[in-house]
Amino acid sequence: MRIVIKVVVLIWLLVGCIDQQGADPQQQKAEYSWTLITSWPKHLPGLGSAPDRFAEEVKAMSNGRLDIKVYGAGELYPALDVFKVVSAGDAEMGHSAAYYWQNELPAAVFFSSVPFGMSAKELNAWLYLGGGLALWQELYAPHNLIPFPGGNTDAQMGGWYNKKVTSINDFKQLKMRIPGLGGKVLELAGGLPTNLPAGELYTALQSGELDAVEWVGPYNDLAFGFHKVAKYYYYPGWHEPSTTLEFVVNQDAFAALPVDLQRIIENATKVVNQETLNEYVVYNIEALNVLANEHGVEVVAFPDDVLALLKDYSVEVIQQLAQQDRFFEKVLNSYQRFQFGVLKYNQVELDPTILE
Ligand code: CA
């Protein structure tokens, strides 16, 4: 009995110490209600389920102390206003994709996707352990935002076309929805890129306002029904060999949380980052089978010579941006150093002399 009392007293003293050294006990008990806005239609498979899953994880892990309400694109703010709204503190969090901000922050593209760039596995390793996330946080810090990886779509498809692509000239005057550096590459090939949000794409393709659309991959594209308004589904997604999504958190809102809730947010983004990628890996192939076998979609490869030229144009676009923007050049150096190192390892099985 005496031992039990001693243990209880010891625990009481330890808890007292933790309270004294840690956060304000009142803050530990406080409940927080946050708003999370997104660039996607609410509950859209993959893109939309990522923030839903995040909010569920945070609520469960915090025992209800942090309740995050998720809003779809257009419910509170337009799809592509996520960065500026969360930066201003009008919502505590957002879920979107970093390359949407390339006009203001050219280097942001590295934190979503680069044409002919890294795979999902490689990109995640660079972000978490190769210095990528630190650079991303450095880029967003002046905007009062903290970014976290928020899922990866895996390799995307090349897009929906109503005319076949037989040469690079087929991109001339092509009106296509294609964001990020891929859009800049299309521009260099003579095309006319736009970045309409998801909800407007089907109608734009149907009406002829757009000649071609790339959105994500089979899992998301099937849900939008693009197969009803386009004949050909092209691969590979040269412009997005894998695409990281982002969570952004307003710095002031984050700083106002106790340390345990901050850690819960950080770790919940990691859970969602991996689970979302798993979801795409499983459902992309199922959806591609449905598109090809049930809807009769013609799945077509870009010709090799077209891909080779697109790769040359991509290098040109990236070199130009590196000359114009110091931070872009800094991130490019980190990205390429990591990518080349990883590629070397990937090639050892094929050619062990690479280590000599
Ligand atoms: Ca895309």
Side-chain angles (χ1 to χ4, degrees):
M1 186 65 184
R2 187 175 289 176
I3 292 173
V4 172
I5 291 169
K6 275 186 179 171
V7 169
V8 169
V9 169
L10 186 63
I11 290 171
W12 181 78
L13 286 171
L14 280 172
V15 169
C17 283
I18 290 166
D19 268 358
Q20 282 166 19
Q21 290 171 3
D24 174 358
Q26 285 309 113
Q27 196 189 28
Q28 295 284 357
K29 287 182 203 156
E31 293 184 356
Y32 299 82
S33 293
W34 275 21
T35 294
L36 190 159
I37 58 172
T38 76
S39 295
W40 334 113
K42 203 166 185 181
H43 310 314
L44 184 73
L47 302 174
S49 53
D52 288 345
R53 183 180 284 127
F54 173 78
E56 281 169 27
E57 287 293 331
V58 169
K59 193 168 184 178
M61 285 195 271
S62 69
N63 200 20
R65 287 163 56 221
L66 179 50
D67 189 14
I68 299 177
K69 184 151 193 229
V70 177
Y71 291 88
E75 281 194 285
L76 296 180
Y77 299 99
L80 301 180
D81 280 3
V82 169
F83 188 96
K84 74 175 181 192
V85 169
V86 180
S87 173
D90 293 328
E92 287 85 1
M93 277 193 79
H95 189 252
S96 190
Y99 58 14
Y100 290 154
W101 330 125
Q102 70 170 353
N103 289 340
E104 296 78 23
L105 299 172
V109 293
F110 290 104
F111 311 116
S112 56
S113 199
V114 174
F116 302 97
M118 287 197 263
S119 69
K121 177 183 78 173
E122 295 157 359
L123 200 52
N124 276 330
W126 175 64
L127 288 168
Y128 289 121
L129 295 177
L133 181 54
L135 287 167
W136 194 359
Q137 290 175 342
E138 187 181 340
L139 180 68
Y140 280 20
H143 302 273
N144 206 30
L145 290 173
I146 306 170
F148 296 101
N152 189 300
T153 66
D154 206 7
Q156 299 203 358
M157 287 289 280
W160 296 89
Y161 290 73
N162 272 314
K163 285 186 190 159
K164 281 203 170 172
V165 177
T166 56
S167 89
I168 197 77
N169 292 328
D170 290 322
F171 291 121
K172 290 213 162 73
Q173 298 300 308
L174 186 84
K175 290 176 285 180
M176 182 173 185
R177 184 272 176 189
I178 174 169
L181 287 183
K184 293 195 179 296
V185 174
L186 180 75
E187 206 167 20
L188 198 58
L192 304 167
T194 69
N195 183 26
L196 288 179
E200 299 171 34
L201 296 179
Y202 183 94
T203 313
L205 195 55
Q206 188 179 39
S207 69
E209 181 189 341
L210 291 177
D211 302 315
V213 157
E214 81 74 48
W215 173 233
V216 183
Y219 179 38
N220 280 148
D221 292 3
L222 175 63
F224 271 102
F226 295 132
H227 55 280
K228 295 175 199 161
V229 288
K231 288 184 200 161
Y232 308 115
Y233 198 19
Y234 268 89
Y235 71 93
W238 56 272
H239 60 303
E240 298 189 52
S242 84
T243 302
T244 292
L245 309 169
E246 70 174 10
F247 284 108
V248 283
V249 187
N250 179 277
Q251 271 181 3
D252 302 325
F254 193 76
L257 293 178
V259 173
D260 64 333
L261 292 185
Q262 291 178 344
R263 189 61 73 90
I264 283 171
I265 285 182
E266 192 178 338
N267 281 302
T269 66
K270 287 183 181 170
V271 169
V272 170
N273 193 47
Q274 184 61 47
E275 285 293 298
T276 306
L277 174 59
N278 297 345
E279 199 179 325
Y280 278 98
V281 170
V282 172
Y283 297 123
N284 266 338
I285 188 63
E286 281 186 12
L288 190 59
N289 270 317
V290 171
L291 286 167
N293 299 323
E294 292 179 26
H295 297 300
V297 168
E298 197 174 330
V299 182
V300 198
F302 288 115
D304 288 345
D305 59 331
V306 169
L307 284 174
L309 283 168
L310 289 170
K311 194 167 186 178
D312 290 346
Y313 289 163
S314 299
V315 170
E316 197 176 327
V317 163
I318 288 169
Q319 282 174 345
Q320 275 177 8
L321 285 165
Q323 282 165 9
Q324 293 163 9
D325 187 284
R326 277 242 167 125
F327 205 89
F328 188 99
E329 187 187 24
K330 181 174 165 177
V331 184
L332 174 65
N333 287 339
S334 167
Y335 186 99
Q336 285 188 328
R337 198 166 49 243
F338 191 86
Q339 187 181 17
F340 293 155
V342 167
L343 284 178
K344 203 169 179 182
Y345 181 75
N346 290 349
Q347 287 164 357
V348 169
E349 275 188 31
L350 302 174
D351 178 14
T353 61
I354 201 162
L355 296 176
E356 290 167 2

